[in-house]
Amino acid sequence: MTKTLLLVEDTPSLSLMYKTVLGKAGYEVDCAFTAAEARRRFDAARHHIVLLDMMLPDGNGSDILTWIKAQAPETRVIVITANGSIKVAVEAMRMGASDFLVKPFDELRLKSAVAHAQPGPIPLVGREVPEEVDRSAPPGFIGDSQEMRDIYQTIHLIGRSTATVFITGESGTGKEVCAQAIHDLSTRSDKPFVPLNCGAIPQHLLESEVFGHLKGSFTGAIADKEGAAVAAHGGTLFLDEICEMDLNLQTKLLRFIQSSTVQPVGATRARSVDVRIICATNRDPAAEVAAGRFREDLFYRLHVVPLHLPPLRDRDNDVNLIGEEMLRRYAAEEGKRFERLSEEVQGLFRQMVWRGNVRQLLNVLRNVVVLHDGLEVTPDMLPPDIGARKVAAAEPDLDQPLEGRAAFSGMVGRSLAEVERAFIEATIAECNGSIPRAARMLEISPSTLYRKREAWERAERAERSEAV
């Protein structure tokens, strides 16, 4: 086990704090405060582990990282970035860093990153990784669209890290599959992956499910329960539908993340745990924060590496790749002969909205396989209402006189831009602030709504500045 490491941090107080924490953990720490000093110290000792701040007074941390990997490819480099510099961190991972820390981070996070960076087999990174390998589909994923290949690349890059990941996407897009893939690609893959759906557990039982309880701590507690956080010790805790969590429990979750300790219901002492947290939601977390339903400080603690999964309708021909692969699997399970989708069915699938995304597609295929047989799925085998789910939206009756259409009466006299904004904001409000849900209702991409809202906010700020 490597006990001597190089710490490159230009802030003396932070350098002293990191050195103290690592010293108590049994490590010897060489400290450097500049890029030039880092080069001299590394040249002299060739440390196996380097903690590298990306912002240095006399140089860029990326240059030091590149230089270290060229001198000693086996050295594990853990980069340190400021909050909001995730793109820098991900690029550092692409260049060969083994992990990254986002300031501020706690003692356990620091010690965990160093422990996981101990010498061993080093995965191919940076330029050594062929582009097609870098973007290969992780286990559980099917699809070859550009949108998904970008997702695959990100999963491969952040899998090696222990940073918190926040996955967003509509229901049925594969958020748990994504979390499992990140865990399987991490150094924690031999430890537990513990999923917990915050929206499927009654609020009064959720604290016990997450943190555990002692026997007799409340009515019905007939035995001790360790809770999901303890069960995931050393591995990954996946909190699905995190925005469904009660505000009081969010406070306790924040304390858990900050201290890396859990206190079961009814217990007087806390215990330390080492888990990587991955969370997911089908809501817009920023909108939940703005509405007061999600703590802002918790959001920034969890939103370290954001990852958005696109809806099935935005994934080009992936719907048919998934469809034929799962069709063959279901046929094998049911003893049927199905091998492919007909061209007519493939065309129909590409046109559909798929409000339930992959989950809806799988339900349709299972229905077909159970009720029919043959080599090819034809349109007459599909559920009766499947043709009504195309992308094309119902259009207003333009033959009706304008003055007879009461729904439009309040819009006459307003600009098209005003009408568009009013309609979009009303739709988002109807969806309780969920932009993904509003996007599904409007049958457009969530990114389109985000861009429009950002443009409106910029325009309002500009108007206020001019008024001042």
Side-chain angles (χ1 to χ4, degrees), residues 76 97 101 133 141 162 235 250 283 301 329 336 362 373 383-384 402 442 444:
R76 301 292 178 92
L101 298 168
V133 176
F141 281 98
T162 55
Q250 290 178 30
R283 298 188 185 186
R301 275 287 183 175
R329 293 187 194 180
K336 301 296 180 70
L362 299 185
D373 196 7
L402 180 61
L442 295 168
I444 60 176

Side-chain angles (χ1 to χ4, degrees), residues 423-434 437-438 441:
F423 185 70
I424 288 176
E425 294 290 6
T427 304
I428 294 173
E430 184 67 21
C431 295
N432 295 320
S434 172
R437 286 175 56 196
M441 186 177 293

Side-chain angles (χ1 to χ4, degrees), residues 85-141:
S85 302
I86 301 306
K87 289 184 178 179
V88 175
V90 172
E91 182 60 28
M93 296 285 286
R94 196 191 310 274
M95 295 166 60
S98 64
D99 200 352
F100 62 87
L101 298 168
V102 179
K103 298 176 182 178
F105 47 85
D106 54 44
E107 294 184 11
L108 191 58
R109 176 74 182 89
L110 173 60
K111 291 186 288 188
S112 174
V114 172
H116 282 90
Q118 289 299 320
I122 299 179
L124 293 175
V125 291
R127 294 188 180 92
E128 300 174 18
V129 182
E131 185 71 10
E132 63 271 15
V133 176
D134 216 22
R135 296 184 176 217
S136 62
F141 281 98

Side-chain angles (χ1 to χ4, degrees), residues 311-316 319 345-357 360-361 364 382-383 385-392 443:
L312 186 57
R313 60 184 171 275
D314 291 346
R315 292 176 54 181
D316 197 26
V319 61
V345 169
Q346 290 189 37
L348 177 60
F349 278 8
R350 280 193 295 269
Q351 296 178 57
M352 286 182 57
V353 177
W354 296 111
R355 298 190 185 281
N357 292 290
Q360 180 189 357
L361 171 63
V364 169
L382 299 175
D385 63 336
I386 205 73
R389 303 180 186 180
K390 293 184 180 180
V391 174
E443 297 184 351

Side-chain angles (χ1 to χ4, degrees), residues 335-447:
K336 301 296 180 70
R337 298 174 295 155
F338 285 114
E339 294 181 357
R340 59 187 176 272
L341 304 173
S342 70
E343 291 186 6
E344 295 88 346
V345 169
Q346 290 189 37
L348 177 60
F349 278 8
R350 280 193 295 269
Q351 296 178 57
M352 286 182 57
V353 177
W354 296 111
R355 298 190 185 281
N357 292 290
V358 178
R359 187 179 296 121
Q360 180 189 357
L361 171 63
L362 299 185
N363 287 342
V364 169
L365 295 172
R366 178 70 79 175
N367 176 284
V368 169
V369 172
V370 169
L371 298 179
H372 304 277
D373 196 7
L375 294 177
E376 185 176 81
V377 176
T378 54
D380 59 291
M381 297 179 181
L382 299 175
D385 63 336
I386 205 73
R389 303 180 186 180
K390 293 184 180 180
V391 174
E395 297 182 356
D397 182 7
L398 299 180
D399 291 330
Q400 183 183 1
L402 180 61
E403 61 272 19
R405 295 198 296 273
F408 299 110
S409 60
M411 302 180 187
V412 177
R414 301 174 66 181
S415 70
L416 182 59
E418 290 176 317
V419 172
E420 179 192 51
R421 179 174 183 177
F423 185 70
I424 288 176
E425 294 290 6
T427 304
I428 294 173
E430 184 67 21
C431 295
N432 295 320
S434 172
I435 286 185
R437 286 175 56 196
R440 290 200 301 272
M441 186 177 293
L442 295 168
E443 297 184 351
I444 60 176
S445 170
S447 61

